[in-house]
Each structure stands twice: as C-alpha cells, then as structure tokens.
Amino acid sequence: MSDDHFPAVDPRILRAAAEGCTESRILMNRRHMLGVSAGFFAWAFAPKFAVAGSATDPRLLLVIIRGGMDGLNTVVPFGDPNYAGLRGGIAMPAASTIQLNSFFGMHPSLTTLGGLYGAGQAAVVHATCTPKRNRSHFDAQDNLETGLPADGNTTNATGWLNRLLTALPSGDPIRVGGAVQVGEAPVVLRGPAPVLGWSPTWFEHVNQLTTNNLLGVYDAVDPGMAGYLRRGLTADALAEAVDPNGGSEDISQLRKAFRGAARMMRVDTGPRIAVLSVEGFDTHVDQGGATGQLATRLAELDGGIADYRTEMAEAWAQTVVVCVTEFGRTAAVNGNLGTDHGVGTVALLAGGAVNGGNVFTDWPGLAPQNLYEQSDLNPTTDLRSIFKGVLQDHLGVPKTLLDETIFPSSAAVPVLQNLIRSPASADQIAKSPLVTATAKTKALRGKMQAGWSAPTRPVDAKSAAGRRNLGGIAKYRQAFPEA
C-alpha cells in the first residue's frame, strides 16, 4: 500500500519479528495494528484481479519467518565435529533428524518439507544472511525486505518485490496478476505497484443482501470503488472457500492464511506473487531440541506448507515457496537453554519448480576460528543471491534488472544458480500423479516413531560429488581441518 497513508510512521516500525526480546514485541504489536488498517485500504490499491492469466504462469510465495530462526537446529549440521559441543542440551544427533545426506538433517518437525526434499521438491540454502549483520530485528528485517546494500538508506524505501512489479513490462503475466499481502502489510510489497490485501478473520461474514446493497450504492456514486470492492470480494470468496466461517476443522490463523494464499494463486485470474509472515522464532529461552518451543513453531510452519501444497493442486508444478528469516542465532546455547541473536542461518525452498533434493552451501565450519565474530555461523551466501536465482530462473527477470533496479548496487552479488529445475523437469512434475503432503507427512511420521530415519544420501562433504550436492557453489571452503 502507499506510504501516504502513514507518513509519520518510522519505516523500521513496519518491520516484523516474533515474541521474544523487547524489540521484537514492539515490532509485532505495532505491525499487527497497521496490518488491520492496511486491510481496509487494500481494495483501493487492488491489481487487475479479474484479468485472466495462464495455468502455466510461475507462482512465487515468499514466507518471512520473523524473530530470527535458528538455522543450526532447523537444518542440523550433525556432520560438523563442533556442532554437538556448541549446542549442549539442545543439540540433535543425526538419528533425531530427517537426514538429507551424510552431513545435514532437517528438524523432525519438518515432516512435510522432509518428504518434499526426498521427492525432489524442496531444497536448502545454508549459511546465508542479509547484507546487514548487526543482529537487530529492526535493521535486519528492514534490510531483508528493502533488498538494499548494508549501508543503503532505507528511509521510506520501497520493497524489492514492489520494485519487481513496477519494473516488469505492462503485459507481463506476473505484473498483470500482481501480488497479494496475506495478513500484515509487509515492507517488501511497499511501493507504487498495486497490491491486493487479504487476511483470514474470525469476524462473521456480511450477508449477501448487505453486500449487494453496498455494491449498488457504490455503482451509483463511485463506480471505480465498486470495481475495487468486487475484486476484493472475489479474492475473499476464493480464499475463504477453504474454511468458510472457520470451517469444521480447528486450525490456526496461520494455516488458514496458507490455504487462502493458495486458493487465490492457483486460479488463472489470481495473483502470481504472495507474501505472508510467520511469527514466534525469537527463541532466547527454552528453545528445545527435537521437542520444545522451536519444534512447535516449525511444526506450525510445516503444516502451513502442507496445506498450501495441497490447495495449489496442479499449480504446485509452477510454484516456488521461499522461506527466509532476518538472521540466525548464536552457535552456542545460552544459559537459559535458548539462543541469542546471531547472523548466519538457513533458507528453505519448496515447490514443483524447485531443483529439490539439494543442500546448497559453501559450509564455513563451526570451529572457533571459523565463527562470525567468534559467535555465530559465518554467512557465505547473501540472501539477495537466493532471491536473484529465483527471480531470474523462475520468473525470467533479466540480470541487469536484478543488479540495478530490484536490488540496487548489487552487481557484485552473484545469482545463485540451479535453484530452479529445468522446464522439462517441471513439466514432469505437472504430469505426474499428485502425492498429497498429508500422506507423505503421515508416512514419515510413522517411520520416525518406529525409530527409523529418512534414507541418507551417500554424500561425502569433502568429495567433489559431495561438494556439488552440498554446495551448488563453485568455490568450496576447506573448513574441516579438525575433522
């Protein structure tokens, strides 16, 4: 939505975090209030929702995980000889994870993502971070969403996804379909390009007679507003069709948000880009290992992705989901069995268009001399490299546009290659019978409860083949002298 609605608000307040430190609570409370206000104004800035697109248009869902997700316990580097000692009581051995290869394993709460990884439809980028590395929720979330260099002036800056929509040609299907903010108003969509707003709500729906009367009034006095209102009602009808008035299934607002996003994005007339946020990852106290606070948060995220995948149906083949967070946590556990603000973390990708079954990393190692400022996982991949890889290979955005307009002054930040599968491979996903994430989740959970771990890929982290599977990045850092 336009900056003009809130001219006096410090732009950093529009950032989000999760429950945890004082900074993140201030962010969350203020953002939720603004998000409610944004929903009422969203119709006036709605894209051309009724213009037909194509079933083969690419879709992109950006999930912003707020609070600073712990990358080291989300995708566990159990093969690093220093991991267990740093993590102490919250460390997870290989047997407790969904093993991705001989070095990394997913947290056991991520059963859907683990199943998608095994099916070649999910991938991991490890040791990543925003350009700005000062461990502040305010600054790091601002940096993630504006896409500017670490020293960029973010005052009233537009979001990089809005700059994408603005820069695309007028007839481009991504620009025509536009974007939808699900829930709060994220800065990543802030700017002049029109954006639709939708949120799951606990309010009762207005009856059809009242809606028709309201539309009749607007048709008579303000036809333009009537058109915007119809677009908003169309989006709401699609999204709420999943669970009208809450439905009979008792699910969270977050999972309703994932379902609603999918219902809008899957149709030919729907938006092609969506953004939603996940809260609660500021785990300073009682973080836990295989169970506990982080496990609960990850399970909720995983359930949302499972719902989204199911609701997308055939459109899943053209979809990429990117889950990112503003920073990671300290490599060592703190005195409260939690972790504090860190730097390096992990990004998660899923979708039928993802080149899955791969962990992309230039792993720095967790030896004391390899930690960032003797404290954190050292980031070796700029988050903008991930975004560039997805935008170039999935949406077809030219590199010059990425380097100069969408991510200004970023020519030195390379495009991360091979995140997206080839068109031929994506076509095979589209033609193959759909395997629901729910079925995959149940199968994995059953095997795990029986003491089984997902099959380990026979990958040596030091071998040439292992570096290709683990890295996808030409340069490999010899980071295991102590192994």
Side-chain angles (χ1 to χ4, degrees), residues 315-358:
W316 176 254
Q318 287 78 45
T319 297
V320 172
V321 180
V322 182
C323 303
V324 292
T325 190
E326 71 262 32
F327 51 58
R329 316 297 297 184
T330 49
V333 63
N334 64 24
N336 296 312
L337 291 180
T339 51
D340 298 317
H341 297 182
V343 176
T345 186
V346 70
L348 307 171
L349 285 77
V354 171
N355 181 22
N358 292 297

Side-chain angles (χ1 to χ4, degrees), residues 253-272:
Q253 292 294 103
L254 177 64
R255 291 184 62 181
K256 289 179 184 178
F258 271 102
R259 293 183 183 190
R263 291 288 300 221
M264 288 184 281
M265 296 177 73
R266 63 179 284 186
V267 298
D268 290 351
T269 56
R272 292 297 174 254

Side-chain angles (χ1 to χ4, degrees), residues 226-352:
Y228 292 131
L229 179 55
R230 282 191 173 88
R231 292 174 197 168
L233 291 171
T234 299
D236 192 58
L238 283 170
E240 289 294 320
V242 185
D243 300 290
N245 294 321
S248 58
E249 187 178 358
D250 184 16
I251 63 170
S252 67
Q253 292 294 103
L254 177 64
R255 291 184 62 181
K256 289 179 184 178
F258 271 102
R259 293 183 183 190
R263 291 288 300 221
M264 288 184 281
M265 296 177 73
R266 63 179 284 186
V267 298
D268 290 351
T269 56
R272 292 297 174 254
I273 295 174
V275 179
L276 63 81
S277 298
V278 183
E279 309 280 2
F281 282 80
D282 199 12
T283 51
H284 289 280
V285 179
D286 293 332
Q287 176 177 306
T291 60
Q293 184 184 166
L294 178 63
T296 300
R297 300 298 187 186
L298 290 175
E300 183 73 357
L301 171 65
D302 193 70
I305 292 173
D307 290 342
Y308 179 82
R309 186 257 179 275
T310 300
E311 293 295 338
M312 286 299 285
E314 288 81 2
W316 176 254
Q318 287 78 45
T319 297
V320 172
V321 180
V322 182
C323 303
V324 292
T325 190
E326 71 262 32
F327 51 58
R329 316 297 297 184
T330 49
V333 63
N334 64 24
N336 296 312
L337 291 180
T339 51
D340 298 317
H341 297 182
V343 176
T345 186
V346 70
L348 307 171
L349 285 77

Side-chain angles (χ1 to χ4, degrees), residues 107 158 163 184 261 292 404 479:
H107 193 285
T158 55
R163 293 197 295 273
E184 66 187 49
E404 299 169 8

Side-chain angles (χ1 to χ4, degrees), residues 16 85 95 130 135 161 195 213 243 251 288 304 312 328 341 427 429 440:
T130 62
R135 303 180 182 89
L161 269 178
V195 172
N213 289 338
D243 300 290
I251 63 170
M312 286 299 285
H341 297 182
D427 186 58
I429 293 289
K440 179 67 72 174

Side-chain angles (χ1 to χ4, degrees), residues 7-61:
V9 178
D10 185 325
R12 299 192 309 171
I13 296 297
L14 297 175
R15 238 38 92 251
E19 295 177 359
C21 65
T22 302
E23 181 189 24
S24 66
R25 288 197 299 271
I26 292 171
L27 278 165
M28 184 175 65
N29 293 337
R30 178 66 174 173
R31 187 184 63 257
H32 283 179
M33 184 190 73
L34 293 176
V36 171
S37 300
F40 288 109
F41 289 103
W43 287 328
F45 299 92
K48 296 179 180 178
F49 192 75
V51 177
S54 167
T56 59
D57 291 343
R59 276 84 162 170
L60 171 63
L61 172 63

